[in-house]
Amino acid sequence: MATTFKTITANDVTNTRTLLHEAIPLTGTIASGTYNDDNIKEFSHGMFQSVYDYPFLSSSANHIFDVTHGYSSESALSGASSVQNSKKINIYNQMASVLVGHDATGSIQRFDQDGNIAAGGAKLNEAFFLNFSRLLSKDEIKKDSFRMSFLTGGTPAARTDALTIGDFGASTSYLVNSPAGEYGILYTSSATPNANSGVGLLYYQAGVAVLTGSIFDGDMGPGVTSGSYNALATGSNINVVADSIRNRLVDIDFNNTVELNSTIYFCRANHNEFNYSANPTYLSSSQIRVKNTTSDNPVSYITTVGLYSSDNELLAVAKLSEPLKKDPNTELTIRVRLDY
Amino acid sequence: MAFLDNSGDIILDAVLTDTGRLRLAKGDGSFNITKFALGDDEINYELYDKNNASGSAYYDIEILQTPVLEAFTNNTSLLKSKLLSISRTNLLYLPEIRNNATEGIAPNTTNNIVSVAVDEATVTSLEVNSVLRAGIINGFELDQNNADTRRLLFDQGIVSNALGDTGKVALDADLVETQYIIEIDNRLGYLANPDGNPATASFVDDDNIASYFLSLTTNSEYFSDSTLTSSDVLAGPAGYRLRLLVGASTNLNSSTYLFTQLGSTSTIGSTNLFHIDTTIRVTGATTGFRVDIPIRFLKQQ
């Protein structure tokens, strides 16, 4: 019986899972300077800034991360006299609610320095939040790949004291007690990781870095002529605080992860299959062009593989980069991978 | 739709078709790959030089250098020609599917295309001495097309008589086509049997292309009673004749909207008409051979 289709059996299909990683290097100047802040989008509500890789009015601009700042209502910085006090508390609570969760009474838990929430301990009451776009973080940030450098000292005009922060050792020591997935503790490169040396938290699947404000010991500016992080956090609005951390950013590097689920179809053409063609040029007055006599082998050339449903609808198609010769002397297995 | 880079290893460029994505999005289990076919759309077998003086290695050198286009996603535009599995290797002739425009409906002599009148007024306006002009199907009342000269006929068999004359020598049983897939734009028309009874589409895809699956065992009214003993388009062993009609959709019957969107205007005799040109594709589900028939839907202005 002549046929154009071949059934795919259970032995011809397999599923695989692959983790793909991309290196994401972000230079600090993209966040402050390269485009004269035309790539920094501020909103009328003033609760965060969005950083783009190109002036955001351009259709080719991509959103890369957001910057915001907040503190807990239990922070020493919280007070009626603080600028945008309620918004800073709201931001902190929103992020904590999503990333840390609630306790048994339904109260929002605060960010914990060592991640051991149940044990209490030091809390990160004041924090910067860097929320990375899914375009960059994809399915998750790869553990122990995140490095971020700041100039934490000096003045806005003369920044000093480079400090590299990273999730050192996180590939074997990440935490899983967050409702937002896995997270690691951010340490300074100069500190030996221990329970009390964390300066922030990195949520891998959520793509959020939480950074304590206390690492900045210099005059952060702008908007404050002199003074510490504390003065800025209480005396300026969120946009100005975000300006300050952008101004001190040197670079950010990490690898993202894409979880690729694939179905592989092995399309097997045996020696006695697919040797003829229904191509309109295959026949001349019904005679097969590639044969002179009946004893010549039929030949066909494969350029396309079509995957069909049982009702003959074409669901997926694969093209070979060059024609593949098929005759009774050859058997082929073409491996078609569909990624999801 | 660029060419694929063929400078290195053979690679596969795979995509889901629009229908594939539609079914995947439905999430109802209809995205279920159960079989595969191989195609050779880009290949021109006329380039096979079996008399090349340099030897057999050069017979297909031009074919093997054919650049291959990227995959694209329109399900009805891909795998137009499929490769065929026949366990025997000693075949020198293969049967084709030919539109029989001699015994069946022939293109209208005015516009040189088989046409379908979509409503009663159009049928009346195209009558000469109360008979609809030749080459036009009454798409409004299909049962009025009661002669083969008003029907689309497709004969399957060998064009040449090198193996013997039609009716004298039987076509090998494994080469007789007994199943067809007919595709037509569902917005414009529908398929019907020779008596004018509409067929049920197996599937209408996202581009409004309806696929009708006809089989000798379950749709015998579309097939000749037996394999052909004569045909004006075949000279050799033959299979069955497929007979069918095309009706006009309600949209075309009741509105000029699609005509103004997709069509143009023309004149037959003194009748000014809207028209839409489309194609009906007839594919042998067993042998993979296929024929495209241009069709024009007509509506009086």
Side-chain angles (χ1 to χ4, degrees), chain B residues 64-276:
Chain B
L64 290 171
Q65 289 171 349
T66 303
V68 178
L69 295 160
E70 281 180 325
F72 59 108
T73 59
N74 188 356
N75 60 310
T76 54
S77 307
L78 293 154
L79 274 114
K80 290 196 290 291
S81 63
K82 297 188 183 76
L83 300 190
L84 194 54
S85 295
I86 304 171
S87 54
R88 291 175 290 153
T89 60
N90 60 352
L91 294 172
L92 189 57
Y93 292 86
L94 286 175
E96 303 175 48
I97 296 166
R98 289 283 175 104
N99 174 225
N100 189 335
T102 313
E103 297 168 79
I105 192 166
N108 179 275
T109 50
T110 307
N111 53 22
N112 203 29
I113 185 170
V114 172
S115 304
V116 179
V118 302
D119 58 19
E120 190 169 20
T122 309
V123 171
T124 306
S125 69
L126 293 173
E127 287 178 343
V128 178
N129 298 326
S130 300
V131 177
L132 187 60
R133 289 168 183 267
I136 300 175
I137 296 171
N138 183 337
F140 172 67
E141 293 176 300
L142 286 176
D143 57 356
Q144 297 298 307
N145 303 290
N146 48 17
D148 272 350
T149 51
R150 295 286 180 192
R151 298 170 181 141
L152 289 165
L153 303 186
F154 299 92
D155 293 353
Q156 191 236 354
I158 292 173
V159 175
S160 155
N161 66 351
L163 299 179
D165 294 333
T166 308
K168 301 281 176 56
V169 177
L171 185 64
D172 293 346
D174 61 346
L175 298 179
V176 174
E177 187 59 75
T178 57
Q179 304 175 97
Y180 285 91
I181 298 166
I182 322 288
E183 292 166 281
I184 183 172
D185 192 323
N186 198 49
R187 294 169 300 177
L188 308 181
Y190 62 89
L191 198 70
N193 71 15
D195 297 326
N197 298 317
T200 303
S202 304
F203 179 72
V204 180
D205 78 1
D206 59 308
D207 300 313
N208 275 309
I209 303 299
S211 298
Y212 296 83
F213 189 82
L214 304 177
S215 135
L216 177 64
T217 50
T218 55
N219 308 96
S220 58
E221 68 272 25
Y222 290 86
F223 291 79
S224 54
D225 293 337
S226 58
T227 54
L228 296 172
T229 53
S230 69
S231 167
D232 286 356
V233 292
L234 304 174
Y240 290 91
R241 170 172 292 168
L242 182 74
R243 300 187 304 160
L244 48 90
L245 283 169
V246 176
S249 69
T250 307
N251 270 340
L252 296 193
N253 179 296
S254 58
S255 161
T256 58
Y257 175 75
L258 286 174
F259 286 98
T260 54
Q261 292 289 309
L262 309 173
S264 182
T265 59
S266 57
T267 303
I268 294 180
S270 59
T271 307
N272 293 321
L273 299 155
F274 291 113
H275 73 247
I276 300 176

Side-chain angles (χ1 to χ4, degrees), chain A:
Chain A
M1 186 70 174
T3 179
T4 52
F5 293 109
K6 183 170 183 184
T7 302
I8 294 173
T9 67
N11 289 332
D12 300 324
V13 186
T14 186
N15 295 298
T16 63
R17 178 174 167 270
T18 313
L19 297 180
L20 299 179
H21 302 291
E22 294 172 309
I24 306 294
L26 294 173
T27 60
T29 52
I30 199 89
S32 61
T34 300
Y35 297 110
N36 296 319
D37 282 1
D38 288 341
N39 63 324
I40 311 300
K41 189 173 185 178
E42 293 185 352
F43 301 86
S44 56
H45 51 65
M47 294 182 76
F48 65 90
Q49 286 183 340
S50 291
V51 180
Y52 287 74
D53 63 355
Y54 197 65
F56 62 83
L57 290 176
S58 165
S59 60
S60 54
N62 295 299
H63 177 211
I64 51 177
F65 66 92
D66 296 319
V67 188
T68 188
H69 170 262
Y71 47 66
S72 161
S73 57
E74 296 180 43
S75 163
L77 304 183
S78 173
S81 60
S82 296
V83 176
Q84 281 192 326
N85 186 56
S86 62
K87 287 192 173 182
K88 289 170 184 168
I89 293 171
N90 288 348
I91 284 286
Y92 184 93
N93 284 343
Q94 180 188 358
M95 300 304 291
S97 166
V98 172
L99 300 173
V100 189
H102 302 78
D103 64 15
T105 66
S107 301
I108 296 170
Q109 301 189 108
R110 289 176 288 161
F111 291 98
D112 194 279
Q113 186 184 25
D114 63 2
N116 190 348
I117 300 167
K123 300 296 180 185
L124 305 179
N125 283 327
E126 305 86 23
F128 292 100
F129 301 99
L130 274 68
N131 301 23
F132 294 97
S133 154
R134 200 174 66 222
L135 178 73
L136 299 190
S137 62
K138 298 287 176 69
D139 290 337
E140 65 178 273
I141 295 169
K142 186 184 176 190
K143 296 175 186 73
D144 200 9
S145 74
F146 187 86
R147 302 292 182 266
M148 182 164 56
S149 296
F150 289 100
L151 292 165
T152 58
T155 65
R159 296 161 293 167
T160 59
D161 303 338
L163 179 70
T164 297
I165 296 163
D167 60 337
F168 299 101
S171 57
T172 55
S173 62
Y174 61 88
L175 298 148
V176 293
N177 57 344
S178 159
E182 298 157 351
Y183 68 104
I185 298 173
L186 294 172
Y187 299 102
T188 59
S189 56
S190 56
T192 303
N194 64 60
N196 299 316
S197 63
V199 295
L201 305 168
L202 179 65
Y203 291 83
Y204 295 108
Q205 284 88 25
V208 177
V210 180
L211 199 61
T212 179
S214 63
I215 59 169
F216 295 100
D217 55 9
D219 171 5
M220 287 194 71
V224 176
T225 51
S226 64
S228 65
Y229 157 75
N230 284 3
L232 186 74
T234 55
S236 301
N237 62 31
I238 293 173
N239 280 336
V240 171
V241 183
D243 288 342
S244 307
I245 191 171
R246 285 192 297 105
N247 183 254
R248 288 177 172 274
L249 181 64
V250 177
D251 60 35
I252 302 174
D253 291 286
F254 63 88
N255 285 3
N256 67 23
T257 303
V258 178
E259 188 177 316
L260 208 57
N261 291 293
S262 307
T263 304
I264 298 171
Y265 297 90
F266 294 97
C267 300
R268 306 180 206 276
N270 293 329
H271 67 92
N272 57 351
E273 295 171 332
F274 302 110
N275 294 321
Y276 295 92
S277 173
N279 189 305
T281 63
Y282 194 66
L283 303 177
S284 172
S285 294
S286 295
Q287 187 184 339
I288 298 170
R289 283 186 195 275
V290 297
K291 295 180 76 168
N292 280 322
T293 66
T294 56
S295 59
D296 290 343
N297 273 334
V299 181
S300 64
Y301 298 87
I302 305 165
T303 64
T304 313
V305 184
L307 302 177
Y308 286 82
S309 64
S310 54
D311 57 351
N312 301 315
E313 284 299 323
L314 181 62
L315 302 181
V317 67
K319 304 284 285 197
L320 282 88
S321 56
E322 61 189 65
L324 212 53
K325 185 176 183 176
K326 178 71 184 74
D327 64 29
N329 298 318
T330 55
E331 291 201 341
L332 300 168
T333 298
I334 301 172
R335 184 176 169 274
V336 181
R337 193 183 78 188
L338 295 180
D339 297 331
Y340 302 96

Side-chain angles (χ1 to χ4, degrees), chain B residues 4-27:
Chain B
L4 291 169
D5 182 354
N6 57 6
S7 59
D9 293 338
I10 295 176
I11 57 162
L12 263 183
D13 168 43
V15 293
L16 293 179
T17 63
D18 45 9
T19 297
R21 282 179 289 161
L22 176 73
R23 291 192 175 195
L24 201 58
K26 280 183 178 173

